[in-house]
Amino acid sequence: MAAFLYRMGRLAFRRRWTVALVWAAVLAAVGLAGMTAPEAEEEPFSMPGIESQEAFDLMEERFPGTAADGATARVVFVSSNGEKVTAGKNKEAVEATIAELGDGAQVASIVDPYESGAVSEDGSTAYTTVTYKVDAAGLTDAGRSHLDESLEHARDSGLTVEAGGDAMQDMGGPSGTAEAIGISVAAVVLLITFGSLAAAGLPLLTALIGVGISLFAITALAGPLGLADTTSTVAIMLGLAVGIDYALFIVSRYREERAKGRAAQEAVALATGTAGSAVVFAGLTVVIALAGLSVVGIPMLTEMGLGAAGAVVVGVLIALTLVPAFLGFWPNAILTRKDRKARRAGGTPRETRKVNGGTRWASFVLRRPLLVLLAAVAGLGALALPMTDLQLGMPGDEALSKETTQRRAYDALAEGFGPGFNGPLTVVVDAKGTGDPEAAAETVSERIGGTEGVVSVSPAQFNESGDTAVFSVVPTTAPTDQETKDLVNTIRGDRPGIESQAGAAFEVTGTTAMNIDVSEKVQSALVPYLLVVVGLAVTLLLVVFRSILVPLKAAAGFLLSVLASLGAVVVVFQQGHGADLLGVETTGPIMSLMPIFLVGIVFGLAMDYEVFLVSRMREAYVHGERPAQAVTSGFQHSARVVVAAALIMIAVFSGFIGDSDAMIKMIGFGLASAVLLDAFVVRMAIVPAVLALLGERAWWLPKWLDRILPRVDVEGEALTRPAGPEAEPADKDLART
């Protein structure tokens, strides 16, 4: 591996114009494809293998043309000063608004609240539901404007008018603020780390090129594949983070080799052969973790995982080819100012200092490894404790800011009709083949209506064939309450008796039931996913480090960091501690997809730091140093760069905390906290402490296993050679700047 990458680095250096032009052509081609691609029609959310999805599919089959996935807007009218919405003036204003809303070009139907009984008992609140012919993504700007204008006209009458539903969702693309924040902080960190504008700018430039290629490619494929907006957001997030980090490691190793007196071409080749090997295997672990999300069986997770994995692959390829090519264009500009002055004076750059912050920290840990290990594990364990209170769900309008009309509509409906009104259950009765479908639906409705925790049941609506009925069930509790989940389980648990009495089958669906089913599916998939991903990655690390204990230690450290980061998410987003600082106004269950998505990404990133840091220790050990010396050497060469890489990732992920999308906000916080804990506690404290306690045993590998494992030479043992034979005169290097 190292020898192959060494030759690749030399070739990229020599053929730098060719390499640069090839990447420019790739960027131009995918850019053109992305800009000319038709606008993507986002596929509706689906979750194969759960009851609520099967019931939804049955509704679409039996009620053709009703747009089961059509967008809806629930418009709420609230009277003021103790008046009633049924009063003459208020009723006229409501009916005028309904007429105006119904004139929308994309409106399929609208319900009159006075005819349907959608008025609260105290007469203060009424609502109407506007159903559209298309889904939320298909609503035109004209359709949205018509809805907004109708609401404003209604407010002019003196009524409080708010609206919720998916028709009110902001379908605009990402603002770019998060990326700008991440890039700005990354630039500062790189400048401090390298002390050179060129060295700081190179990782940023190559990362942006990689993100551009990935983003345009996803945009071009979004239409044919029906990709969600979150696919590109997560790809940008990870592509930017790993793109900067991978280039950072190559540039850092290049400067280290130049400091030893090597010529530019040889330094590039050695940097690509050694640090590039670590980049390849670090990238592979990230790709395995992200692509492994497809085994969960959730289409949205699969799209996000594969999109982000593609961005990581692009980042790896750019780090191995374009970064060496750019180093060929500016071989000395990457060096520090002092090093460039030394070359102009005919000397060589100074050798890397033997004692730095990394060696001092390693020495501290090596003197008291057990104490450091116990303190780190205890701290992470304390952070992980809130995980025992983890509640999963899918945040809805209740999680939005109170400044939004959706949240105000949610609160108004809860106050006027009860908390369960915002999360009704939909029951689909399949009476096909039944002698009396109406009687069957009536029996199912009566039995479910008599269940404890049910407020009301709507009249059953039949399809044209008369063999399928649909009715709504309003619980007494809010959609995210545990009591609502218990009610759904109770109704489904009573199914055999109800179906036997009615002579017809039924299924429970609706947004609330869908969220409950998704949460249960994610929880059941988490352990198999961990086994697959961790098993593959441990096997990969076994090949890289040729050790049994090092990969197992890496996996254990990951579990600690991911549990601690999930605990931090629970503390903020569920329990509400510090929520105001992040702009989280309402706390509640953690998004169902969050744990498994966080596990996938954090595992890949955790293995990044493991490979970068421990590969330098392995390199020193292979070259003859004692285990303790190897730990110190690894920290001497890698600690500062790993810290910089972690700070960059934290900055990139933290930028997304400001996103208005609750899902992206939670992911950004979870990833930032996970990288913080994994890089600074697990890799910087637990790893050296464990290696110090294990000593020689850390690198033990059974002889029979040593014989059958392939040798990939990540540490670059085959590349050890004098600098002289391929050295170039210093003035020749200087001439290229």
Side-chain angles (χ1 to χ4, degrees), residues 357-418:
T359 57
R360 285 191 288 270
W361 172 252
S363 299
F364 171 81
V365 176
L366 291 173
R367 285 195 301 270
R368 47 188 70 79
L370 186 59
L371 178 62
V372 170
L373 178 61
L374 292 176
V377 171
L380 292 177
L383 279 174
L385 277 178
M387 262 286 293
T388 57
D389 188 37
L390 176 67
Q391 298 174 10
L392 297 181
M394 292 294 283
D397 288 348
E398 77 281 1
L400 298 177
S401 167
K402 293 181 180 179
E403 301 299 318
T404 63
T405 185
Q406 297 98 312
R407 172 61 187 277
R408 293 194 296 266
Y410 180 96
D411 292 341
L413 287 170
E415 183 177 350
F417 297 91

Side-chain angles (χ1 to χ4, degrees), residues 41 56 63 94 217 307 331 449 492 501 511 558 586 607 621 721:
E41 295 183 7
F56 181 85
F63 292 83
V94 171
R492 289 172 172 171
Q501 181 181 349
T511 302
F558 151 72
T586 303
M607 295 305 103
Y621 178 76
R721 66 189 70 181

Side-chain angles (χ1 to χ4, degrees), residues 577-600:
H577 303 293
D580 291 342
L581 298 176
L582 302 180
V584 180
E585 294 191 11
T586 303
T587 58
I590 303 304
M591 182 184 63
S592 300
L593 304 181
M594 180 66 184
I596 200 162
F597 187 71
L598 187 67
V599 165

